[in-house]
Structures are given as structure tokens and as C-alpha cells.
Amino acid sequence: MSEGTMQRAAQRDDRAQGVPPTPLWQWGSDQRAKRLRRVLVCAAAVPAVLITAACSSDSGDSKGKGGDSAQQTASSGSSQQPSASASPTVQAAAYRKLPEPCAVLSRKTLTDLVPKGAKSGKEGSSDDTATRSSCSWTSLDNNGVKGSQFRWLNVSLLRFDSDVNRGAGDKQAHAYFAQQVGDARSVSGAKNITSRPVAGTGAEATAVRYDLKKKEGDFKQQTVVARVENVVVTLDYNGAGLAGEKTPSADDLTKAAQKAMKEAVAAVSAANGEGSGQSSSTTATASPSKSASKSPSASASKSPSSSASPSKSAAKKG
């Protein structure tokens, strides 16, 4: 139906209802106004739909991102959880026992150093011979009115077990080795003190010698300290000419003491079997062994006083 036909039909309806007919110019304007309103309403509805869609889209993205972020955080947190701390370990001690102290030197060596006392070895008291031990020999070659030659020899051994609190046995032994050398160099009344390293004797060794004058005579003291792995050996050897007898040569006494120390160090290795030193590459558990629980540092304080203070021993034997 054409627009003119529609207009006329509308006019007939208006007249039939007693409504004045709408002028032709106004009818077209009214139709355009209606169409404009419909367009504006639709146009207004479109942004609302777009805004709603956009909000829904943002909300979904936000939830997705938040979920991913939370998931990543949880994943990152779980991957950064600290693992259970491992039990502390320390390098195991190489040597686990000591040789019989009175058997560390051969009969020939004892005859050279203490000719009248080679069979008189006296073992020192110890509550744990696997950790600390000692043996001493005394020799007095009495020549009557011509005087006497006195010799005294002492060998002490101290073994350190590895412990998670005190550290590796060889480290503890090194500290005690340095202490023993220092003690030998600081004896009260000592004169002409000299010290020098001894090659080919354990991991480290030092010989200290000095002169000590007493009422019995002039004593020549030799102290050799050596460390072999986690064991420290201290050898004290002194001699004197008594009642007018000639004072022994310090050089001869030093050579004899160093030779004896090499034997003592070899005895420590032999007591632990061939290749026992290779065990130092293993690790010890956190719990210290029975001998370590008795504190090597305490054992050091209980070691024979003769090794720590040779002058006192010399005084007793003199």
C-alpha cells in the first residue's frame, strides 16, 4: 500500500471516529518523528548491551587472570617450600685405635736410648686406652766414682674422634699438635731453646730442644711432637751426666729422639691396618662415637704431665 493510500485510509478512520483529519504535511512529519524515536531508542539500547557484554567479558578475564595468578602463586609457593634439613656430617677420623704404648718402639731402639731400662717400660694410667695412652722408660748407667749417665724416655699418644660439634679428628689433632709444641717451647727455666720441623714423620712434626739446669746436673731435653692423621704423638727424651759424668751431646740425643718418633708414628699406622688412612674420605654420622663422647679436649687435659711439661718429669727422674 502506498503512502498516499495509507494517508487517505487514516483520514477516513479519523472522520468515522469524529477526529479531525490530520493535514498531509503533519502526517508525514509525525511518521518521521516516530521513526526517529525508534532509531534513538535502539541506538540507546546498543551501548547498554555493549557495556553489559564488556563488563561480562572483563569479569570473566579478571576471574581467569586471578585464578591463573593464584594458581601460579600456589605453584611457586609449593616449589619454593624448604626441604627438610639434612643431618650434619663431618669427615670421619682415619684412625680408630692406638697401639700398645710400651710396644711402639723396637727393642733395639730402646737399647740405644735407654740402655739400662729397655725392659723397664711402665705404662701410664688411662681410662680409655683407645683414645690416650703412654709409656715411660728410665735408665741409669752407674759408673761409681766416675759418675752416672741418666736417660729418661716417655711416649704419649692422643687420638681424636670426629665430632659434629668439635669438627674433624685431624683438625682437632692439628690444634693439639700446635699446643704441644708451644708447651715445649715455654718450659720455665729452659735455656737455648730451638725448634725445627722434622721431615718424613707423619703429616707434621716438630723437634724442640733446650737446656735445663738442675741441682743434679745439666739436662739436655728433646721433645718431638708429631701428628699422623687424627693422632698426636709426643716423645720426650732427656739425658744428663750426673756426679761429674760428661754431659751428653744434644745433637746425639736429638737424632735418637727423631728416629724413635718415626717408629712410633709407623706403629700408629700399623695398629690401624694397611690403607687405614684412606678411610678419611668417608663421613661420620651426627652421633659421636663412644670415645669421642668422652671429649678429646678433656683427654688432652688428662694426658700425662710428662709430655706437657718435660722439665717436671726430668726433675723427678733426676
Side-chain angles (χ1 to χ4, degrees), residues 209 222 237 248-257:
R209 78 183 193 186
Q222 328 296 314
Y237 182 50
S249 167
D251 290 338
D252 292 343
L253 295 180
T254 298
K255 290 178 182 179

Side-chain angles (χ1 to χ4, degrees), residues 52-68:
T52 302
C55 290
S56 299
S57 176
D58 289 346
S59 176
D61 292 345
S62 175
K63 291 180 180 179
K65 291 180 181 178
D68 292 344

Side-chain angles (χ1 to χ4, degrees), residues 43-54:
V46 170
V49 172
L50 294 177
I51 291 172
T52 302

Side-chain angles (χ1 to χ4, degrees), residues 119-294:
K119 299 180 181 180
S120 66
K122 182 180 180 181
E123 185 171 348
S125 61
S126 173
D127 57 358
D128 184 4
T129 56
T131 300
R132 56 185 177 274
S133 61
S134 65
C135 190
S136 61
W137 297 261
T138 302
S139 173
L140 181 62
D141 187 3
N142 191 344
N143 295 316
V145 296
K146 294 182 179 180
S148 303
Q149 284 291 334
F150 173 81
R151 300 289 187 273
W152 181 78
L153 173 66
N154 184 84
V155 177
S156 64
L157 305 99
L158 187 62
R159 185 181 65 84
F160 294 84
D161 273 318
S162 294
D163 181 86
V164 293
N165 295 318
R166 302 183 187 90
D170 59 341
K171 301 298 183 183
Q172 299 178 61
H174 171 74
Y176 183 68
F177 165 84
Q179 177 186 323
Q180 287 290 84
V181 173
D183 289 347
R185 290 181 53 85
S186 60
V187 173
S188 178
K191 303 292 184 182
N192 304 320
I193 302 173
T194 62
S195 62
R196 64 186 62 185
V198 180
T201 307
E204 53 188 335
T206 299
V208 180
R209 78 183 193 186
Y210 53 85
D211 298 337
L212 196 62
K213 188 175 181 62
K214 298 184 178 182
K215 63 180 181 179
E216 296 88 353
D218 296 329
F219 285 79
K220 300 293 183 179
Q221 173 69 41
Q222 328 296 314
T223 298
V224 185
V225 185
R227 177 182 71 83
V228 51
E229 298 289 354
N230 56 308
V231 176
V232 176
V233 182
T234 304
L235 186 148
D236 290 301
Y237 182 50
N238 63 47
L242 307 179
E245 181 64 273
K246 182 180 178 180
T247 300
S249 167
D251 290 338
D252 292 343
L253 295 180
T254 298
K255 290 178 182 179
Q258 291 180 2
K259 178 183 177 182
M261 175 58 84
K262 291 181 185 296
E263 284 190 21
V265 166
V268 173
S269 299
N272 288 272
E274 293 183 0
S276 58
Q278 300 299 322
S279 64
S280 60
S281 60
T282 61
T283 56
T285 58
S287 58
S289 65
K290 179 180 179 181
S291 56
S293 65
K294 294 187 178 181

